[in-house]
Amino acid sequence: MTPTSDVIIIGGGVIGLAIARALARDGLRVTVFERNAQPGGEASWAAAGMLAPQAEADAPGPLFDLCLRSRALYADFVAALWAETGIDAELCPAGTLLLAEEENEVAALQAKLAWQTAAGCHAEWMSPDEVQALEPLLKSAGALYLPDDWQVENRRLTQALVAATMAAQARFVCHCEGLELLVERGRVAGVEMRGERWAAPAVVNAAGSWAARMSPALLRLPARAVRPIRGQMLALRMPLLTRLRHVIRTPRAYLVPRRDGRLIVGATVEDVGYEKQVTAGGVFSLLAGALAVAPALAQAALVETWAGLRPLATDNLPIIGETDIEGLYCATGHYRNGILLTPITAEIARCLVRQLPPPCDIASFSPRRLYEADVLCSEASLPN
Ligand SMILES: Cc1cc2nc3c(=O)[nH]c(=O)nc-3n(C[C@H](O)[C@H](O)[C@H](O)COP(=O)(O)OP(=O)(O)OC[C@H]3O[C@@H](n4cnc5c(N)ncnc54)[C@H](O)[C@@H]3O)c2cc1C
């Protein structure tokens, strides 16, 4: 007999998991298909967990608005997951310092301060002395303080989402290499794997960097509509008295202090395909960037290195919405902001699948915008 669900989610990263949880909690029969042995092991595990609409944005626009909306949902999202699972995703509200290493970086940060305060966001300039008083390890030419750009422990968030999705009675099918979409008479009918059919009237493609490779002939997305951008990361461990408290970002690296004493240092931005190798050059550049602003980190223990693949769409915007195939939706292309955008993406996808009005304007994120054009970005034009 063909197993039947109300909705199938392809991909068990934070995006697929949060959508699955939302729909399962609404009472729908949800099945999550994950290619790996376990969900949550790709970009969602590799990330730094910064919830940073203001630090990431160079100008206002639809993506900035979406990021702000999602950030506003975060405290309730983490609290709900904690209540559902007992797993605390360690939301940290200390805020972010955008550091100027040199005097010539100050003007760009002050321009950001101007447009973001005009947009109604909180931002504050700090002199080098004020920065040192706040974070004695740092040397700088000043910093822009963004009190509302928080961080979350994304590995714990992912664990909480898996547990909450299971608690809401969603099913998981892992090891599902070779999954294909089933489309009948112009509408989605489910998925097929190794000759076995799984029926569902709605399917959400949340396969991260692999989303455009899913049944490409049916999906009508060009192969590079979503492509992987490697980010290498490392973790340091410092003695208790010499720890940072805020997220620190410089043009060369960012530093994210975790509650367990690790300091996450990230990240490279590399267009090298699906290669997750950590390289000597990558580690060198991250350490050089970190030590330039916090020389005392030279004494820290290097405890972990890893790399992950950020899903980037050709026009740098997320891909969230209906496709031309009735019942088939996309939720991918979240690039550097997928952890941040998880709550709003889940709410949008929940509304789309349930035929409810979405909570905000999603026209800019429609998959249809990518059908015809395949505007290739060169490595030089990668958004930072
Ligand atoms: C180094 C690094 C640092 C980052 N830092 C931040 C940050 O600070 N803040 C932030 O907001 N974002 C950050 N990001 C981005 C964020 O991690 C991603 O945007 C987000 O995790 C994307 O989630 P996802 O669920 O779409 O993708 P993924 O987590 O990659 O999940 C996709 C899942 O789909 C599965 N899959 C793929 N193909 C198939 C298939 N055919 N069938 C079934 N399953 C399939 C994969 O195995 C995977 O588990 C960072 C990313 C990286 C790599």
Side-chain angles (χ1 to χ4, degrees):
M1 202 178 70
T2 304
T4 304
S5 312
D6 296 317
V7 55
I8 282 172
I9 313 289
I10 301 170
V14 282
I15 298 296
L17 291 167
I19 296 169
R21 163 186 173 262
L23 289 166
R25 285 175 62 80
D26 277 1
L28 272 64
R29 293 168 303 164
V30 179
T31 305
V32 179
F33 283 82
E34 168 53 49
R35 190 200 44 189
N36 291 343
Q38 289 174 352
E42 295 290 350
S44 303
W45 175 87
M50 293 175 290
L51 309 175
Q54 292 179 243
E56 286 286 327
D58 293 324
L63 178 58
F64 183 58
D65 293 345
L66 192 74
C67 288
L68 288 179
R69 264 181 189 275
S70 204
R71 187 179 69 180
L73 298 175
Y74 236 96
D76 287 348
F77 182 59
V78 167
L81 287 172
W82 195 351
E84 287 161 37
T85 67
I87 300 172
D88 174 10
E90 298 182 356
L91 186 65
C92 170
T96 296
L97 286 169
L98 301 190
L99 230 57
E101 276 183 59
E102 308 289 344
E103 204 54 51
N104 62 10
E105 293 163 14
V106 168
L109 289 177
Q110 291 196 333
K112 196 181 194 74
L113 169 70
W115 78 257
Q116 294 201 345
T117 44
C121 296
H122 294 135
E124 191 183 313
W125 183 254
M126 286 192 169
S127 68
D129 287 347
E130 287 171 321
V131 173
Q132 255 225 326
L134 202 62
E135 290 285 10
L137 284 191
L138 298 179
K139 59 186 184 99
S140 75
L144 183 59
Y145 176 47
L146 305 174
D148 299 332
D149 270 7
W150 296 357
Q151 58 130 326
V152 69
E153 217 297 19
N154 48 284
R155 294 181 184 176
R156 291 181 66 89
L157 179 79
T158 307
Q159 282 175 350
L161 280 167
V162 172
T165 307
M166 284 178 163
Q169 308 296 324
R171 278 188 301 176
F172 282 83
V173 180
C174 292
H175 288 295
C176 65
E177 194 66 57
L179 202 66
E180 294 289 340
L181 288 171
L182 273 176
V183 176
E184 288 166 3
R185 289 181 291 281
R187 70 156 300 133
V188 82
V191 295
E192 189 172 28
M193 183 174 59
R194 297 188 282 269
E196 191 179 356
R197 293 167 64 99
W198 301 71
V203 174
V204 182
N205 179 353
S209 292
W210 298 265
R213 293 157 65 114
M214 185 75 222
S215 305
L218 295 173
L219 206 55
R220 287 191 52 209
L221 286 178
R224 276 172 68 89
V226 187
R227 72 186 199 280
I229 301 298
R230 181 170 71 185
Q232 299 186 47
M233 304 266 275
L234 56 89
L236 304 175
R237 191 176 289 281
M238 290 289 282
L240 191 59
L241 291 176
T242 50
R243 286 184 190 164
L244 294 166
R245 291 187 305 115
H246 301 81
V247 173
I248 312 297
R249 296 173 64 127
T250 80
R252 290 198 278 166
Y254 54 71
L255 312 173
V256 183
R258 294 289 200 231
R259 207 181 280 180
D260 67 2
R262 284 176 307 140
L263 180 69
I264 310 300
V265 181
T268 63
V269 180
E270 303 165 89
D271 196 355
V272 291
Y274 290 89
E275 174 58 69
K276 287 196 289 181
Q277 181 74 51
V278 174
T279 65
V283 171
F284 177 78
S285 71
L286 295 177
L287 288 174
L291 267 58
V293 292
L297 292 178
Q299 303 308 317
L302 173 58
V303 292
E304 191 184 349
T305 60
W306 68 94
L309 304 174
R310 311 171 181 92
L312 175 66
T314 40
D315 60 1
N316 310 330
L317 293 176
I319 307 171
I320 312 170
E322 294 162 309
T323 68
D324 277 358
I325 300 170
E326 207 184 328
L328 177 65
Y329 307 90
C330 281
T332 183
H334 294 82
Y335 190 43
R336 295 168 63 110
N337 290 307
I339 304 298
L340 166 64
L341 287 170
T342 295
I344 192 70
T345 304
E347 183 53 18
I348 293 169
R350 184 185 79 87
C351 291
L352 291 173
V353 169
R354 300 207 50 209
Q355 316 274 312
L356 301 168
C360 56
D361 182 5
I362 55 168
S364 308
F365 312 117
S366 167
R368 295 188 175 107
R369 75 188 194 271
L370 298 170
Y371 282 173
E372 304 305 334
D374 187 6
V375 188
L376 298 181
C377 295
S378 68
E379 187 160 358
S381 69
L382 278 178
N384 281 313

